[in-house]
Amino acid sequence: MIVRIAAVQYLLRPIHDWSGFENHVRFIMKAAGDYKPQFVLLPEIFTTQLLSFMDTSDVVASVRNLNDYTRRYKDLMLELAHEWNVHLIGGSHPTLHEDGRLLNTAYYFTPGGEIFEQDKIHRTRWEREKWNTDAGDQLRLFETPFGKIAILICYDIEFPELARMVCEAGADILFVPSCTDDRQGFLRVRYCCHARAIENQVFVAMTSTVGNLPVEGLGMHYGQAAIITPSDFPFARDGIAAEGTPNVEQIVVADVDLKDLESNRLSGTTIPLYDKRKDVYEHPVEVIKLA
């Protein structure tokens, strides 16, 4: 089965109201939808663009005030997923729960009107110390008409165990919405996406925010979208099906073939998804003290 993925490098520029955000998203989704993809991926916390017209003098309070727009965000994304007949990984959005917890949640919208969620499992220092967010604790695998997918938000891709868990459960594509402020942060995510693709013989689609905002902690962004493959003969030579130009608003599109993935897992040059020595992992590391 050939699956088309569109990953959006979303430009964070100042806006004056909700309409500015909505118009920007509609423009982006029309541009992506014209390619007729099965999946569209938006970046992590791209809804922080709304902070450009909100009071941000208190960082902890302002990120929680974004929750006032959660309903409108969901309604907009549902409408666009239906309009363009796509499975929309709508980036992520800081979501305040009734118990007071603030989670960085990726929302997955289907063209049939369903909404699913994947919370970020691991928080960065900024999220812990500046935003005072909370961590999610449940991984999910989504069985779609176009393969089995999972969502690992930015920092979560840097933890190999998470990717291995969802891939052993059957994931074909990992979606990685991210938001990074500098090249080092971006490359940490990018290199880990390549590693996870190789380790688990899985496709990985990632994207990032780009642009600037006059908001504390969100002023600068470094980003580039890519659709990454395992490293073997059936796939792109460098393990990159497609990638964008860094730091400009752009849509990156590629077709991936799930049949290539299936055959590579069984008869590839190496088959790391199945070659894992689970028996060894059950034993503690032997520590040897030298004199």
Side-chain angles (χ1 to χ4, degrees):
M1 178 189 296
I2 295 177
V3 177
R4 179 165 292 180
I5 301 169
V8 178
Q9 294 178 194
Y10 187 93
L11 181 66
L12 289 175
R13 43 167 148 338
I15 53 177
H16 302 293
D17 52 25
W18 167 263
S19 294
F21 175 77
E22 180 177 337
N23 292 338
H24 190 184
V25 174
R26 287 187 183 278
F27 164 76
I28 284 294
M29 285 302 297
K30 181 184 185 307
D34 284 343
Y35 290 100
K36 300 189 184 306
Q38 280 75 49
F39 293 101
V40 174
L41 173 65
L42 290 168
E44 178 188 25
I45 59 171
F46 81 106
T47 57
T48 52
Q49 186 178 28
L50 298 168
L51 291 173
S52 60
F53 63 82
M54 297 169 61
D55 179 7
T56 57
S57 56
D58 183 333
V59 174
V60 172
S62 63
V63 73
R64 282 158 174 78
N65 290 336
L66 281 173
N67 192 65
D68 294 342
Y69 295 91
T70 299
R71 183 69 265 165
R72 277 191 273 187
Y73 156 77
K74 289 182 179 180
D75 288 344
L76 175 62
M77 294 296 164
L78 267 182
E79 176 192 338
L80 293 170
H82 176 74
E83 177 181 356
W84 295 103
N85 192 33
V86 297
H87 291 256
L88 174 57
I89 291 85
S92 77
H93 173 67
T95 304
L96 189 63
H97 291 246
E98 291 183 358
D99 60 5
R101 292 182 305 141
L102 180 69
L103 294 173
N104 185 350
T105 301
Y107 289 91
Y108 165 33
F109 305 88
T110 74
E114 297 175 291
I115 305 177
F116 299 99
E117 300 177 8
Q118 175 61 66
D119 297 322
K120 191 172 185 178
I121 306 295
H122 297 90
R123 299 167 295 164
T124 61
R125 290 188 60 191
W126 175 268
E127 289 173 290
R128 289 198 315 269
E129 298 170 9
K130 301 295 186 180
W131 279 7
N132 192 25
T133 62
D134 296 279
D137 55 15
Q138 180 64 57
L139 278 175
R140 294 185 169 93
L141 182 74
F142 305 100
E143 297 186 1
T144 83
F146 306 103
K148 298 176 182 178
I149 71 167
I151 304 167
L152 296 177
I153 304 172
C154 199
Y155 194 30
D156 281 342
I157 199 66
E158 298 182 32
F159 295 83
E161 301 86 351
L162 295 183
R164 177 61 67 152
M165 286 174 67
V166 292
C167 289
E168 287 182 340
D172 301 302
I173 307 171
L174 303 182
F175 287 96
V176 183
S178 70
C179 173
T180 47
D181 62 338
D182 57 27
R183 189 169 183 269
Q184 295 96 317
F186 161 74
L187 288 176
R188 285 195 295 270
V189 177
R190 174 65 181 261
Y191 291 155
C192 286
C193 285
H194 282 280
R196 303 299 87 84
I198 293 168
E199 295 161 355
N200 299 292
Q201 295 174 278
V202 67
F203 296 118
V204 181
M206 69 166 292
T207 196
S208 315
T209 46
V210 300
N212 309 314
L213 279 182
V215 176
E216 183 180 353
L218 296 167
M220 306 294 289
H221 295 81
Y222 189 105
Q224 179 188 30
I227 294 148
I228 296 164
T229 74
S231 185
D232 211 343
F233 291 110
F235 309 104
R237 187 193 69 174
D238 299 321
I240 305 169
E243 64 180 345
T245 302
N247 297 328
V248 296
E249 188 156 67
Q250 190 174 12
I251 298 170
V252 176
V253 182
D255 291 339
V256 296
D257 193 337
L258 300 187
K259 287 185 178 179
D260 286 345
L261 202 65
E262 182 180 352
S263 62
N264 186 248
R265 287 172 170 176
L266 295 173
S267 56
T269 305
T270 60
I271 49 173
L273 181 61
Y274 296 140
D275 275 347
K276 177 181 174 181
R277 286 282 311 278
K278 294 183 180 180
D279 57 316
V280 173
Y281 287 72
E282 294 172 356
H283 302 304
V285 174
E286 181 181 1
V287 178
I288 300 175
K289 294 183 179 181
L290 303 182

